[in-house]
Amino acid sequence: MEMTNRSYLNSAIHMELSPLNYLMEENETNSTAGERNSLGCVQIRIPQELFLALGIISLVENILVVLAIIKNRNLHSPMYYFICCLAVSDMLVSVSNVVETIFMLLNDHGLMDVHPGMLRHLDNVIDVMICSSVVSSLSFLSTIAADRYITIFYALRYHSIMTTQRAVIIIVVVWLASLTSSILFIVYHTDNAVIVCLVTFFFTTLVFNAVLYLHMFLLAHVHSRRIMAFNKNRRQSTSMKGAMTLTILLGVFIVCWGPFFLHLILILTCPTSPFCNCFFRNFNLFLILIICNSLIDPLIYAYRSRELRKTLQELVLCSWCFGV
Protein backbone atom coordinates (compact mmCIF):
# COMPACT_ATOMS: atom_id res chain seq x y z
CA MET A 1 0.00 0.00 0.00
CA GLU A 2 1.42 3.40 -0.94
CA MET A 3 1.32 5.79 1.99
CA THR A 4 0.65 9.28 0.67
CA ASN A 5 -1.24 10.94 3.50
CA ARG A 6 0.06 12.83 6.50
CA SER A 7 -1.38 12.11 9.93
CA TYR A 8 -2.43 14.78 12.37
CA LEU A 9 -4.48 14.25 15.49
CA ASN A 10 -5.41 10.85 14.08
CA SER A 11 -9.11 10.57 13.32
CA ALA A 12 -9.78 14.00 14.82
CA ILE A 13 -9.05 15.21 11.29
CA HIS A 14 -11.64 12.86 9.81
CA MET A 15 -13.66 11.49 12.71
CA GLU A 16 -15.19 8.69 10.71
CA LEU A 17 -11.85 7.16 9.67
CA SER A 18 -9.18 5.39 11.67
CA PRO A 19 -5.59 6.41 10.74
CA LEU A 20 -5.13 3.32 8.59
CA ASN A 21 -8.47 3.71 6.83
CA TYR A 22 -7.72 7.39 6.28
CA LEU A 23 -4.46 6.43 4.57
CA MET A 24 -6.32 3.97 2.35
CA GLU A 25 -8.96 6.56 1.54
CA GLU A 26 -6.34 9.10 0.54
CA ASN A 27 -4.48 6.56 -1.57
CA GLU A 28 -7.63 5.92 -3.54
CA THR A 29 -8.18 9.63 -4.20
CA ASN A 30 -4.61 10.90 -4.63
CA SER A 31 -3.50 11.32 -8.23
CA THR A 32 -1.45 13.64 -10.39
CA ALA A 33 -1.19 17.30 -9.48
CA GLY A 34 -4.38 19.21 -10.13
CA GLU A 35 -6.54 16.22 -11.02
CA ARG A 36 -10.30 16.55 -10.48
CA ASN A 37 -12.28 13.85 -8.71
CA SER A 38 -15.91 12.85 -9.18
CA LEU A 39 -17.06 15.84 -7.12
CA GLY A 40 -15.17 18.26 -9.36
CA CYS A 41 -12.59 19.00 -6.65
CA VAL A 42 -9.06 19.94 -7.64
CA GLN A 43 -6.68 17.89 -5.53
CA ILE A 44 -3.02 18.85 -5.47
CA ARG A 45 -0.60 15.99 -4.97
CA ILE A 46 2.52 16.89 -2.99
CA PRO A 47 5.62 14.72 -3.66
CA GLN A 48 7.06 13.04 -0.58
CA GLU A 49 10.50 14.26 -1.63
CA LEU A 50 9.34 17.87 -1.23
CA PHE A 51 8.21 17.17 2.34
CA LEU A 52 11.58 15.58 3.08
CA ALA A 53 13.64 18.40 1.53
CA LEU A 54 11.72 21.17 3.32
CA GLY A 55 11.83 19.25 6.59
CA ILE A 56 15.61 18.78 6.48
CA ILE A 57 16.27 22.43 5.54
CA SER A 58 13.96 23.64 8.31
CA LEU A 59 15.58 21.31 10.84
CA VAL A 60 19.10 22.51 9.98
CA GLU A 61 18.03 26.18 10.13
CA ASN A 62 16.44 25.87 13.55
CA ILE A 63 19.35 23.87 14.96
CA LEU A 64 21.66 26.69 13.84
CA VAL A 65 19.43 29.27 15.58
CA VAL A 66 19.51 27.31 18.84
CA LEU A 67 23.30 26.87 18.63
CA ALA A 68 23.79 30.57 17.84
CA ILE A 69 21.78 31.67 20.87
CA ILE A 70 23.69 29.23 23.09
CA LYS A 71 27.07 30.34 21.69
CA ASN A 72 26.66 34.12 21.82
CA ARG A 73 26.48 35.51 25.37
CA ASN A 74 25.04 38.76 24.03
CA LEU A 75 21.94 36.76 23.13
CA HIS A 76 21.51 35.38 26.66
CA SER A 77 18.40 37.37 27.51
CA PRO A 78 14.76 36.37 28.20
CA MET A 79 13.56 37.35 24.72
CA TYR A 80 16.18 35.22 22.99
CA TYR A 81 15.52 32.35 25.39
CA PHE A 82 11.90 32.46 24.24
CA ILE A 83 12.98 32.70 20.59
CA CYS A 84 15.20 29.67 21.19
CA CYS A 85 12.18 27.76 22.49
CA LEU A 86 10.18 28.89 19.46
CA ALA A 87 12.93 27.43 17.27
CA VAL A 88 12.71 24.16 19.23
CA SER A 89 8.95 24.15 18.59
CA ASP A 90 9.65 24.48 14.87
CA MET A 91 12.18 21.66 15.16
CA LEU A 92 9.43 19.36 16.45
CA VAL A 93 7.50 19.94 13.22
CA SER A 94 10.63 19.36 11.15
CA VAL A 95 11.66 16.18 12.99
CA SER A 96 8.16 14.69 12.84
CA ASN A 97 7.94 15.52 9.14
CA VAL A 98 11.34 14.02 8.30
CA VAL A 99 10.68 10.84 10.30
CA GLU A 100 7.23 10.33 8.79
CA THR A 101 8.43 11.04 5.26
CA ILE A 102 11.35 8.60 5.54
CA PHE A 103 8.95 6.00 6.92
CA MET A 104 6.57 6.54 3.99
CA LEU A 105 9.32 6.47 1.34
CA LEU A 106 10.70 3.21 2.74
CA ASN A 107 7.23 1.74 2.62
CA ASP A 108 6.53 3.04 -0.89
CA HIS A 109 9.71 1.38 -2.20
CA GLY A 110 8.90 -1.91 -0.51
CA LEU A 111 11.72 -1.64 2.01
CA MET A 112 9.39 -1.69 5.01
CA ASP A 113 6.08 -3.42 5.66
CA VAL A 114 3.48 -1.32 7.43
CA HIS A 115 1.71 -3.07 10.26
CA PRO A 116 -1.53 -1.37 11.41
CA GLY A 117 -0.38 -1.38 15.04
CA MET A 118 2.97 0.12 14.11
CA LEU A 119 1.22 2.76 12.03
CA ARG A 120 -1.00 3.77 14.95
CA HIS A 121 1.99 4.11 17.29
CA LEU A 122 3.84 6.20 14.71
CA ASP A 123 0.76 8.37 14.26
CA ASN A 124 0.47 8.93 18.01
CA VAL A 125 4.11 9.93 18.43
CA ILE A 126 4.05 12.28 15.45
CA ASP A 127 0.72 13.78 16.48
CA VAL A 128 2.00 14.50 19.99
CA MET A 129 5.09 16.21 18.52
CA ILE A 130 3.10 18.37 16.11
CA CYS A 131 0.41 19.18 18.65
CA SER A 132 3.11 20.13 21.19
CA SER A 133 4.65 22.32 18.50
CA VAL A 134 1.50 24.30 17.76
CA VAL A 135 0.58 24.75 21.43
CA SER A 136 4.12 25.75 22.45
CA SER A 137 4.54 28.02 19.39
CA LEU A 138 1.37 29.94 20.21
CA SER A 139 2.38 30.10 23.87
CA PHE A 140 5.88 31.40 23.17
CA LEU A 141 4.62 33.93 20.62
CA SER A 142 2.33 35.26 23.35
CA THR A 143 5.16 35.15 25.88
CA ILE A 144 7.48 37.12 23.60
CA ALA A 145 4.70 39.64 22.95
CA ALA A 146 4.26 40.09 26.71
CA ASP A 147 8.04 40.42 27.09
CA ARG A 148 8.17 43.15 24.44
CA TYR A 149 5.20 44.87 26.08
CA ILE A 150 7.02 45.00 29.41
CA THR A 151 10.20 46.20 27.68
CA ILE A 152 8.38 49.11 26.07
CA PHE A 153 6.03 50.24 28.83
CA TYR A 154 8.09 49.29 31.88
CA ALA A 155 11.55 49.84 30.42
CA LEU A 156 13.15 51.12 33.64
CA ARG A 157 11.86 48.12 35.64
CA TYR A 158 12.24 45.47 32.95
CA HIS A 159 15.23 43.65 34.46
CA SER A 160 13.53 43.42 37.85
CA ILE A 161 10.27 42.18 36.32
CA MET A 162 11.59 39.73 33.70
CA THR A 163 14.48 38.02 35.46
CA THR A 164 16.30 34.99 34.09
CA GLN A 165 14.79 32.85 36.85
CA ARG A 166 11.24 33.90 35.89
CA ALA A 167 11.99 33.32 32.22
CA VAL A 168 13.16 29.76 32.99
CA ILE A 169 10.02 29.11 35.06
CA ILE A 170 7.83 30.35 32.19
CA ILE A 171 9.68 28.12 29.72
CA VAL A 172 9.30 25.03 31.92
CA VAL A 173 5.60 25.71 32.52
CA VAL A 174 4.91 26.22 28.80
CA TRP A 175 6.65 22.99 27.78
CA LEU A 176 4.97 20.94 30.50
CA ALA A 177 1.57 22.37 29.60
CA SER A 178 2.17 21.80 25.88
CA LEU A 179 3.26 18.19 26.34
CA THR A 180 0.46 17.37 28.79
CA SER A 181 -2.27 18.94 26.65
CA SER A 182 -0.93 17.23 23.53
CA ILE A 183 -1.05 13.80 25.17
CA LEU A 184 -4.58 14.46 26.40
CA PHE A 185 -5.63 15.61 22.92
CA ILE A 186 -4.35 12.38 21.38
CA VAL A 187 -5.90 10.18 24.09
CA TYR A 188 -9.30 11.82 23.57
CA HIS A 189 -8.92 12.42 19.83
CA THR A 190 -12.40 11.05 19.06
CA ASP A 191 -14.07 13.86 20.99
CA ASN A 192 -15.04 17.08 19.20
CA ALA A 193 -13.95 18.91 22.34
CA VAL A 194 -10.33 18.39 21.26
CA ILE A 195 -10.86 20.40 18.09
CA VAL A 196 -12.88 23.02 19.98
CA CYS A 197 -10.04 23.41 22.51
CA LEU A 198 -7.40 23.80 19.79
CA VAL A 199 -9.41 26.34 17.80
CA THR A 200 -10.34 28.26 20.96
CA PHE A 201 -6.71 28.36 22.08
CA PHE A 202 -5.65 29.58 18.63
CA PHE A 203 -8.10 32.48 18.56
CA THR A 204 -7.53 33.34 22.24
CA THR A 205 -3.81 33.76 21.67
CA LEU A 206 -4.45 35.78 18.52
CA VAL A 207 -6.74 38.17 20.43
CA PHE A 208 -4.22 38.40 23.28
CA ASN A 209 -1.39 39.27 20.89
CA ALA A 210 -3.56 41.67 18.90
CA VAL A 211 -4.50 43.61 22.05
CA LEU A 212 -0.88 43.84 23.18
CA TYR A 213 0.40 44.89 19.75
CA LEU A 214 -2.37 47.45 19.31
CA HIS A 215 -1.59 48.98 22.69
CA MET A 216 2.14 48.96 21.96
CA PHE A 217 1.91 50.68 18.60
CA LEU A 218 -0.78 53.18 19.63
CA LEU A 219 1.12 54.37 22.68
CA ALA A 220 4.67 53.83 21.44
CA HIS A 221 5.02 57.39 20.21
CA VAL A 222 3.94 58.90 23.53
CA HIS A 223 6.08 56.50 25.54
CA SER A 224 9.04 57.18 23.24
CA ARG A 225 9.05 60.82 24.32
CA ARG A 226 9.05 59.81 27.98
CA ILE A 227 11.96 57.43 27.43
CA MET A 228 13.88 60.05 25.47
CA ALA A 229 13.61 62.38 28.48
CA PHE A 230 15.74 59.82 30.37
CA ASN A 231 18.19 59.47 27.45
CA LYS A 232 17.01 55.93 26.71
CA ASN A 233 16.06 56.42 23.08
CA ARG A 234 18.29 53.59 21.86
CA ARG A 235 16.64 51.13 24.24
CA GLN A 236 13.19 52.19 23.07
CA SER A 237 14.23 51.77 19.43
CA THR A 238 15.53 48.26 20.18
CA SER A 239 12.33 47.33 22.00
CA MET A 240 10.13 48.51 19.14
CA LYS A 241 12.31 46.59 16.68
CA GLY A 242 11.71 43.49 18.78
CA ALA A 243 7.98 44.16 18.74
CA MET A 244 8.04 44.51 14.96
CA THR A 245 9.95 41.23 14.65
CA LEU A 246 7.29 39.45 16.69
CA THR A 247 4.55 41.06 14.61
CA ILE A 248 6.15 39.57 11.48
CA LEU A 249 6.50 36.18 13.19
CA LEU A 250 2.86 36.22 14.24
CA GLY A 251 1.73 37.24 10.76
CA VAL A 252 3.69 34.40 9.15
CA PHE A 253 2.28 31.97 11.73
CA ILE A 254 -1.31 33.01 10.93
CA VAL A 255 -0.75 32.68 7.18
CA CYS A 256 0.91 29.26 7.47
CA TRP A 257 -1.28 27.72 10.16
CA GLY A 258 -4.53 29.48 9.23
CA PRO A 259 -5.65 26.93 6.58
CA PHE A 260 -5.10 24.10 9.06
CA PHE A 261 -7.27 25.74 11.72
CA LEU A 262 -9.87 26.52 9.06
CA HIS A 263 -9.74 22.79 8.29
CA LEU A 264 -10.55 22.05 11.94
CA ILE A 265 -13.38 24.59 12.00
CA LEU A 266 -14.93 23.08 8.87
CA ILE A 267 -14.79 19.62 10.46
CA LEU A 268 -17.04 20.95 13.21
CA THR A 269 -19.36 23.04 11.04
CA CYS A 270 -19.77 21.16 7.74
CA PRO A 271 -18.18 17.69 7.86
CA THR A 272 -20.47 16.29 5.13
CA SER A 273 -20.65 19.30 2.82
CA PRO A 274 -19.26 18.70 -0.72
CA PHE A 275 -17.47 22.06 -0.60
CA CYS A 276 -15.83 21.24 2.74
CA ASN A 277 -14.95 17.79 1.47
CA CYS A 278 -13.03 19.41 -1.40
CA PHE A 279 -11.18 21.54 1.14
CA PHE A 280 -10.34 18.46 3.25
CA ARG A 281 -8.78 16.66 0.28
CA ASN A 282 -5.96 19.22 0.06
CA PHE A 283 -4.79 18.65 3.63
CA ASN A 284 -1.24 17.86 2.50
CA LEU A 285 -1.02 21.35 1.03
CA PHE A 286 -1.82 22.82 4.45
CA LEU A 287 0.93 20.69 5.99
CA ILE A 288 3.41 22.09 3.48
CA LEU A 289 2.48 25.58 4.70
CA ILE A 290 3.07 24.49 8.31
CA ILE A 291 6.52 23.20 7.40
CA CYS A 292 7.20 26.47 5.54
CA ASN A 293 6.47 28.34 8.77
CA SER A 294 9.25 26.38 10.48
CA LEU A 295 11.52 27.18 7.54
CA ILE A 296 10.72 30.91 7.38
CA ASP A 297 11.01 31.72 11.10
CA PRO A 298 14.84 31.34 11.27
CA LEU A 299 15.17 33.64 8.25
CA ILE A 300 13.12 36.27 10.11
CA TYR A 301 15.32 35.94 13.21
CA ALA A 302 18.46 36.39 11.13
CA TYR A 303 17.06 39.29 9.09
CA ARG A 304 15.81 41.23 12.11
CA SER A 305 18.75 40.65 14.49
CA ARG A 306 22.23 41.71 13.42
CA GLU A 307 23.83 39.97 16.41
CA LEU A 308 22.10 36.68 15.66
CA ARG A 309 22.85 37.00 11.96
CA LYS A 310 26.55 37.52 12.70
CA THR A 311 26.68 34.46 14.96
CA LEU A 312 24.85 32.33 12.38
CA GLN A 313 27.39 33.35 9.75
CA GLU A 314 30.22 32.31 12.07
CA LEU A 315 28.59 28.93 12.70
CA VAL A 316 28.05 28.30 8.98
CA LEU A 317 31.62 29.29 8.12
CA CYS A 318 32.98 27.17 10.96
CA SER A 319 30.99 24.10 9.87
CA TRP A 320 32.08 24.67 6.25
CA CYS A 321 35.76 24.87 7.29
CA PHE A 322 35.47 21.61 9.24
CA GLY A 323 33.70 20.05 6.27
CA VAL A 324 36.56 21.00 3.97
Side-chain angles (χ1 to χ4, degrees):
M1 179 184 66
E2 181 186 4
M3 297 172 61
T4 55
N5 176 63
R6 305 258 145 184
S7 65
Y8 190 89
L9 294 179
N10 291 306
S11 54
I13 298 303
H14 283 291
M15 293 286 186
E16 73 279 11
L17 297 173
S18 69
L20 183 60
N21 288 335
Y22 184 30
L23 288 176
M24 295 173 65
E25 175 73 12
E26 287 294 314
N27 291 333
E28 293 172 0
T29 57
N30 275 347
S31 56
T32 57
E35 181 176 338
R36 293 179 178 272
N37 59 22
S38 59
L39 295 175
C41 302
V42 175
Q43 184 175 359
I44 302 175
R45 183 178 182 276
I46 309 295
Q48 299 292 352
E49 292 77 12
L50 179 59
F51 276 102
L52 183 61
L54 292 178
I56 293 175
I57 294 172
S58 171
L59 181 60
V60 172
E61 286 183 352
N62 284 285
I63 289 175
L64 287 174
V65 169
V66 173
L67 292 177
I69 293 175
I70 294 174
K71 179 179 182 293
N72 191 336
R73 289 188 174 273
N74 293 331
L75 301 177
H76 290 184
S77 64
M79 187 188 79
Y80 281 102
Y81 293 153
F82 299 143
I83 287 179
C84 183
C85 290
L86 195 58
V88 173
S89 297
D90 288 335
M91 284 170 59
L92 289 177
V93 173
S94 303
V95 170
S96 63
N97 169 68
V98 170
V99 170
E100 187 175 23
T101 303
I102 292 175
F103 186 89
M104 290 181 175
L105 287 173
L106 289 174
N107 178 79
D108 291 347
H109 291 84
L111 301 176
M112 179 183 293
D113 291 329
V114 180
H115 187 273
M118 183 180 181
L119 180 61
R120 291 189 186 92
H121 288 307
L122 178 65
D123 282 347
N124 289 336
V125 172
I126 290 174
D127 290 343
V128 168
M129 292 176 66
I130 299 180
C131 194
S132 297
S133 174
V134 65
V135 174
S136 59
S137 293
L138 285 168
S139 299
F140 283 118
L141 283 171
S142 299
T143 302
I144 298 172
D147 177 79
R148 293 300 86 196
Y149 185 89
I150 295 172
T151 305
I152 292 172
F153 292 100
Y154 302 93
L156 301 179
R157 297 169 50 202
Y158 173 77
H159 291 291
S160 61
I161 296 175
M162 186 58 73
T163 62
T164 300
Q165 183 180 6
R166 287 178 180 171
V168 171
I169 292 174
I170 292 172
I171 290 170
V172 172
V173 170
V174 168
W175 280 117
L176 286 177
S178 300
L179 182 60
T180 302
S181 61
S182 299
I183 294 174
L184 290 175
F185 286 161
I186 302 308
V187 171
Y188 298 101
H189 67 270
T190 56
D191 196 332
N192 278 343
V194 170
I195 299 180
V196 173
C197 288
L198 276 174
V199 173
T200 301
F201 182 66
F202 177 70
F203 283 106
T204 300
T205 53
L206 290 189
V207 171
F208 174 79
N209 282 280
V211 170
L212 288 187
Y213 288 135
L214 183 63
H215 194 200
M216 279 191 281
F217 291 118
L218 284 178
L219 299 183
H221 182 65
V222 174
H223 198 72
S224 175
R225 292 181 178 179
R226 295 177 183 175
I227 295 296
M228 287 175 63
F230 291 94
N231 297 320
K232 299 289 185 179
N233 185 51
R234 182 177 179 181
R235 181 183 180 88
Q236 173 70 9
S237 176
T238 303
S239 300
M240 284 307 301
K241 184 177 181 180
M244 282 299 301
T245 300
L246 268 297
T247 303
I248 297 172
L249 287 172
L250 184 63
V252 171
F253 185 91
I254 294 173
V255 170
C256 293
W257 281 88
F260 168 76
F261 280 97
L262 177 58
H263 182 106
L264 296 184
I265 293 172
L266 293 180
I267 289 175
L268 294 175
T269 57
C270 59
T272 59
S273 168
F275 171 78
C276 295
N277 190 44
C278 289
F279 190 82
F280 296 153
R281 291 181 180 278
N282 285 295
F283 185 63
N284 280 356
L285 184 60
F286 311 149
L287 290 185
I288 281 289
L289 288 176
I290 292 174
I291 297 170
C292 286
N293 177 73
S294 301
L295 190 147
I296 294 171
D297 281 352
L299 301 180
I300 297 174
Y301 308 147
Y303 177 74
R304 299 290 298 179
S305 172
R306 181 181 300 175
E307 189 75 28
L308 181 58
R309 183 168 62 249
K310 179 182 176 182
T311 308
L312 286 172
Q313 290 173 347
E314 291 174 357
L315 285 174
V316 171
L317 289 175
C318 183
S319 61
W320 182 80
C321 290
F322 276 112
V324 173

